[in-house]
Amino acid sequence: MFRSTHRNDNRSFRKNDASVPKPNNGRDSSEAFFDNLISKRAEAFPRANQSDAKTVSHGPAPASPQSQGRSGFNGAPRSRFQGRGPQHPATPAANHAPQSAQPRSAAAIVQSLKSLNKTKYEDIPALSFEPDKKFSSPRTPQHAPRPARPEGYSAPQVISSRKPMTLGTGKKKLRIIPVGGQEEVGRNMTIFEYENDIVIVDMGLQFGEEDMPGIDYIVPNVSYLRGKEHLIRGVIFTHGHLDHIGAAPILLRQLNYPTIIGRDFTLALIKHKVDDQERGAASRLKMIRVKTLDDVMKLGIFTVKFFEVEHSIMDAIGITLETPVGTVIHMGDWTISNEPIDPHPLSYEHLALLPKPTFLMLESLGAIKSGLPPSETKVHENFQKLLKDAPGRLIIATFASQVRRISYILEYAEQLGKKVALEGYSMKNNIEIAKELGYIKVKPDTFITTNEIHKYPDKQVVVICTGAQGELNAALSRIVTDNHRFIKLQRTDTVVFSSSAIPGNERSVQRLKDNLYRKCENVIHSDVMDIHISGHSTASGIVEMLRQVKPTYFLPVYGNHFFLKEAAKLAYKNGYSPNNVFVLDNGHVLECDGQTAKILPKKIDSSYVFVDGLGIGDIGHVVLRDRQMLSQDGMIAITVLVDHKSKKVIGNVQITSRGFIHVKENFDLVNETKRKVLKVVKDNTSKDTSIDWRTVENAIREVVGQFLFTKTERRPMVLPVVIEV
């Protein structure tokens, strides 16, 4: 069964609101499926109040009888991670800005997060918090049970027959400006601007592509924000994947360290990355923890609320930004699980009641995938079977950020009495942070180091490592190439790819699989067994989100252009007008005044900012083009010594080739090239006149380049050097 995880049964929505586009009368199979699903869920979980509920306001409300004994307060079902993490008091989150450099250990990072309670929200300039203003959320926090309400607290009350509020018009306008994530996978960052208030969502990186030799990664261009740093009220991070937080160490420094907002695991990962980039820089961070999904924050004119989304990493959240002219619903990354192991469904229908007009910004990487995703229950059953039946060592390669899945694997391994070795810097760091936060609870003696593997029988050893994308220096690649100090592949080993290939990495992953199949008999990947679930929903999930949220405007985001166009087509098929669907490019400015929305004709600068080693932005397109030429056709250097008086060439012309030809095997071509150089020098010099040797070098470059192309049909980079002696 395909479940939309976590349904809030005290909510419903208006189906005939004139401000919402109407779906087609002809309903496709996926819509019928979800209708059937919702009706079955209603039978399984009867509502506490069957009135025509439209929205909520403060006041007492009875909890559902079905929720007694298994819920947080107000009858909300418990999270799958409730009870695993630390219990946080329901007090305002805090601003953390210690004055001294912090240690880099995960324990120190987590401890600093816990100390955030020492500072009040009111101490943060241009940012306030409303601790008594509650926003009904579909589920309690993933990592902790809600504490008891203070005496005299009034729970939300269901009010009937209230329409979603439509915000008024005015000359003031909201601007939505994506500076990354709209034309690629990664580099996700969006700016929201209203008058003198700016809020940013995510600061992700994008890994270098095949035509970017030497580039480590790419970060968003924030030149638009230069001179506006003081207007930034906060940076909200939806979750801890690198395509959402990877650029934070660089961009936060460039923007004078504005306040950052997120959940515990996300903030801990950011703090560690900032400290990795520049030791001690984490002490400059001003952090606010989102303790519960009921938190409401005021960032200038923006009212920020939170709701839970399902994704492949812990502490993922969606956000809403309410302004006087519209409400933005930003999902971050999300999915809807098929047969989830958590029995509590999750619904987004409460988002349909937000003030209109609403803008749904929906990550759309799965827009071209039809059907249902793999069953989450089946995937976990397969892992249990592999752990139990593997004939030798079990080596599982996955993303270091897949902490939720890794936590289940650790629990299953502990139940079977197996020992687990973690390999990969990011893997060890992420698991250590998750342990400190209480998300992972296994006995300490379950873990061993890789240099202790030989002490245990092969069948008792599990290795969880990075490198499933074929990265050259990652753990799995070093194991496959016999460059790992302690792990050597054996025929009896079972290697599991619990990941999908990131677009652009397909060739590296295929090469890695080829090498693995040559060295061991048991290689498991998603093509032969369901052992991975993407954190991105399929097309059916996108349609379901549109049906539940009923936004005024739909903005597909976070993917290549063709993903976004396919998501837009899904909206058109379900009754949305092209005037209400915007497919933005990086740098586009979408402007809304409360009644209309339009894309401005002029873009902001969203060009690539390349990071190469310690250099940030010093590699431009000219340098990149030179690298591409060198990687494709190589280079040839020509050195000529010319007499100052006679202007004649002294000695022999020196020719050096790299990546073009082997000089010793191409004497004829080299000698003919030398003759061309001598002729160019003779034709462009005179002993009676002063010579501009740059002109001579350019002539050599042009003549030799054309000659070599005629002979080889290749265009090496020609580097002439003329020295007058």
Side-chain angles (χ1 to χ4, degrees):
M1 183 172 66
F2 188 52
R3 295 178 181 166
S4 173
T5 351
H6 200 62
R7 180 179 178 79
N8 186 343
D9 287 325
N10 286 336
R11 304 246 184 170
S12 64
F13 53 87
R14 293 183 60 87
K15 296 185 177 180
N16 298 316
D17 188 358
S19 64
V20 178
K22 306 297 187 296
N24 292 333
N25 292 329
R27 303 170 67 82
D28 61 20
S29 59
S30 63
E31 292 178 303
F33 174 82
F34 279 109
D35 284 339
N36 186 42
L37 168 64
I38 292 173
S39 65
K40 289 183 179 179
R41 293 302 305 173
E43 296 173 3
F45 298 97
R47 296 187 179 183
N49 190 335
Q50 295 292 342
S51 64
D52 183 20
K54 300 300 178 185
T55 187
V56 298
S57 66
H58 293 290
S64 169
Q66 286 75 17
S67 66
Q68 300 298 327
R70 63 170 176 83
S71 62
F73 61 72
N74 292 348
R78 292 184 185 272
S79 163
R80 70 183 65 180
F81 288 100
Q82 187 163 339
R84 295 188 181 187
Q87 298 185 13
H88 304 299
T91 56
N95 174 13
H96 181 54
Q99 299 301 315
S100 59
Q102 298 296 315
R104 299 175 67 183
S105 67
I109 292 172
V110 173
Q111 185 60 37
S112 66
L113 283 172
K114 294 179 179 178
S115 69
L116 293 178
N117 291 322
K118 296 179 181 179
T119 310
K120 296 182 180 180
Y121 280 118
E122 289 76 5
D123 297 334
I124 302 174
L127 187 146
S128 61
F129 186 77
E130 302 177 20
D132 295 328
K133 190 173 180 180
K134 297 298 175 183
F135 177 59
S136 180
S137 57
R139 196 189 289 181
T140 55
Q142 289 183 339
H143 65 287
R146 294 181 179 176
R149 290 295 193 187
E151 185 176 355
Y153 173 80
S154 295
Q157 179 184 14
V158 176
I159 303 296
S160 300
S161 303
R162 180 178 172 185
K163 297 182 179 179
M165 181 175 63
T166 300
L167 295 170
T169 62
K171 295 183 179 179
K172 297 181 179 180
K173 298 174 182 179
L174 168 68
R175 289 185 169 186
I176 301 174
I177 310 171
V179 292
Q182 295 296 104
E183 301 172 47
E184 61 276 310
V185 177
R187 206 164 59 106
N188 301 314
M189 177 175 172
T190 308
I191 298 169
F192 300 90
E193 185 176 21
Y194 186 94
E195 294 293 301
N196 293 323
D197 295 313
I198 293 175
V199 171
I200 299 170
V201 174
D202 291 333
M203 290 179 168
L205 61 76
Q206 174 191 352
F207 290 106
E209 299 173 357
E210 291 183 354
D211 60 347
M212 300 176 182
I215 299 301
D216 295 331
Y217 53 91
I218 311 160
V219 299
N221 189 323
V222 294
S223 58
Y224 176 78
L225 296 173
R226 288 175 189 156
K228 299 184 178 183
E229 293 88 349
H230 63 290
L231 303 179
I232 301 174
R233 307 308 176 202
V235 182
I236 306 172
F237 292 94
T238 57
H239 63 282
H241 280 151
L242 288 179
D243 56 337
H244 294 258
I245 69 168
I250 295 172
L251 300 188
L252 290 176
R253 182 176 68 244
Q254 292 180 356
L255 298 175
N256 299 330
Y257 292 99
T259 299
I260 64 174
I261 301 163
R263 304 208 73 177
D264 285 352
F265 189 63
T266 306
L267 292 180
L269 293 176
I270 293 172
K271 184 168 185 180
H272 189 274
K273 288 194 67 64
V274 169
D275 215 27
D276 263 357
Q277 181 82 13
E278 180 185 352
R279 190 167 183 83
S283 62
R284 305 182 192 129
L285 294 177
K286 300 183 287 289
M287 297 187 290
I288 296 179
R289 295 165 54 204
V290 179
K291 294 183 180 179
T292 74
L293 299 177
D294 287 329
D295 287 355
V296 178
M297 301 183 188
K298 195 74 174 175
L299 305 181
I301 196 67
F302 294 92
T303 300
V304 186
K305 301 175 184 178
F306 308 93
F307 57 93
E308 184 179 357
V309 297
E310 188 171 9
H311 192 43
S312 56
I313 189 172
M314 295 169 177
D315 280 351
I317 54 173
I319 63 171
T320 64
L321 301 173
E322 295 181 16
T323 73
V325 297
T327 303
V328 177
I329 304 168
H330 199 300
M331 296 287 296
D333 283 355
W334 65 284
T335 189
I336 298 178
S337 289
N338 176 20
E339 297 183 349
I341 57 175
D342 187 334
H344 306 307
L346 193 148
S347 171
Y348 301 101
E349 291 182 359
H350 64 286
L351 300 176
L353 301 172
L354 290 169
K356 302 292 183 179
T358 53
F359 297 80
L360 176 60
M361 302 185 70
L362 196 64
E363 174 262 307
S364 304
L365 278 177
I368 62 175
K369 295 181 180 178
S370 58
L372 306 179
S375 164
E376 186 178 10
T377 301
K378 182 66 175 177
V379 167
H380 284 268
E381 289 175 354
N382 288 338
F383 269 116
Q384 290 174 314
K385 184 177 179 181
L386 286 170
L387 285 162
K388 182 179 179 181
D389 300 337
R393 297 179 303 183
L394 182 63
I395 302 174
I396 302 173
T398 187
F399 297 110
S401 58
Q402 290 273 10
V403 180
R404 172 175 291 165
R405 184 175 306 161
I406 295 170
S407 69
Y408 288 121
I409 295 173
L410 292 172
E411 291 176 7
Y412 300 150
E414 184 178 72
Q415 293 169 9
L416 295 170
K418 300 206 172 193
K419 302 297 182 182
V420 180
L422 303 176
E423 186 59 13
Y425 173 74
S426 56
M427 178 72 70
K428 295 175 182 177
N429 175 69
N430 289 0
I431 298 304
E432 186 63 27
I433 291 176
K435 286 166 59 181
E436 292 290 340
L437 288 171
Y439 293 136
I440 292 178
K441 291 186 176 181
V442 294
K443 297 176 182 178
D445 60 1
T446 300
F447 294 98
I448 60 173
T449 59
T450 52
N451 61 345
E452 296 175 322
I453 288 176
H454 68 279
K455 299 179 181 179
Y456 299 90
D458 287 350
K459 192 172 175 59
Q460 197 178 350
V461 173
V462 178
V463 178
I464 305 177
C465 66
T466 58
Q469 296 300 305
E471 306 96 318
L472 289 178
N473 295 320
L476 186 59
S477 292
R478 287 185 284 118
I479 293 172
V480 172
T481 56
D482 293 330
N483 289 321
H484 196 282
R485 293 177 60 192
F486 304 110
I487 305 176
K488 306 296 180 183
L489 275 180
Q490 303 170 7
R491 284 287 175 184
T492 56
D493 289 341
T494 300
V495 181
V496 178
F497 280 83
S498 184
S499 65
S500 56
I502 296 174
N505 291 350
E506 294 86 356
R507 188 175 302 175
S508 298
V509 174
Q510 290 168 2
R511 189 182 305 115
L512 181 62
K513 288 179 180 178
D514 282 345
N515 293 333
L516 280 170
Y517 271 95
R518 293 179 186 277
K519 294 196 171 187
C520 63
E521 299 295 338
N522 306 304
V523 180
I524 309 297
H525 46 85
S526 55
D527 292 332
V528 297
M529 181 184 292
D530 287 338
I531 39 80
H532 175 69
I533 304 173
S534 172
H536 310 281
S537 187
T538 62
S540 297
I542 293 174
V543 172
E544 175 62 10
M545 286 298 303
L546 291 172
R547 291 180 56 206
Q548 289 193 31
V549 178
K550 294 188 173 294
T552 312
Y553 300 100
F554 175 49
L555 283 68
V557 297
Y558 290 177
N560 298 94
H561 187 71
F562 76 95
F563 286 122
L564 310 186
K565 279 294 185 70
E566 289 296 331
K569 291 179 182 179
L570 294 174
Y572 302 150
K573 291 178 182 178
N574 285 272
Y576 278 80
S577 164
N579 295 328
N580 291 67
V581 179
F582 295 97
V583 177
L584 304 180
D585 290 338
N586 294 330
H588 265 150
V589 179
L590 179 65
E591 194 173 75
C592 172
D593 61 7
Q595 285 190 331
T596 61
K598 63 180 180 180
I599 299 176
L600 300 185
K602 186 176 181 180
K603 291 184 177 182
I604 70 165
D605 184 9
S606 61
S607 57
Y608 283 163
V609 177
F610 299 110
V611 177
D612 184 2
L614 297 178
I616 301 170
D618 58 343
I619 304 296
H621 288 281
V622 174
V623 174
L624 193 61
R625 185 176 66 246
D626 288 345
R627 290 184 178 183
Q628 291 168 351
M629 287 183 62
L630 289 170
S631 67
Q632 293 169 2
D633 295 320
M635 57 85 67
I636 182 170
I638 302 171
T639 305
V640 185
L641 298 179
V642 180
D643 183 82
H644 173 69
K645 294 182 178 180
S646 66
K647 302 299 189 293
K648 293 182 179 180
V649 175
I650 301 174
N652 196 13
V653 176
Q654 297 294 322
I655 293 183
T656 304
S657 171
R658 292 291 183 270
F660 173 53
I661 58 172
H662 190 215
V663 173
K664 293 181 179 180
E665 296 178 357
N666 293 272
F667 281 121
D668 292 342
L669 180 62
V670 172
N671 290 332
E672 197 169 350
T673 302
K674 290 180 180 180
R675 288 192 289 271
K676 291 286 185 182
V677 173
L678 292 173
K679 186 176 186 304
V680 170
V681 174
K682 181 179 178 181
D683 293 344
N684 288 273
T685 59
S686 171
K687 66 178 182 179
D688 299 326
T689 60
S690 177
I691 304 301
D692 183 357
W693 296 109
R694 287 176 297 182
T695 303
V696 178
E697 290 175 350
N698 289 336
I700 293 173
R701 182 182 296 109
E702 182 177 349
V703 170
V704 171
Q706 184 61 42
F707 167 73
L708 293 177
F709 179 76
T710 302
K711 293 294 184 179
T712 66
E713 292 193 0
R714 285 179 279 171
R715 296 186 183 276
M717 179 179 289
V718 180
L719 301 175
V721 179
V722 179
I723 303 174
E724 188 178 16
V725 295

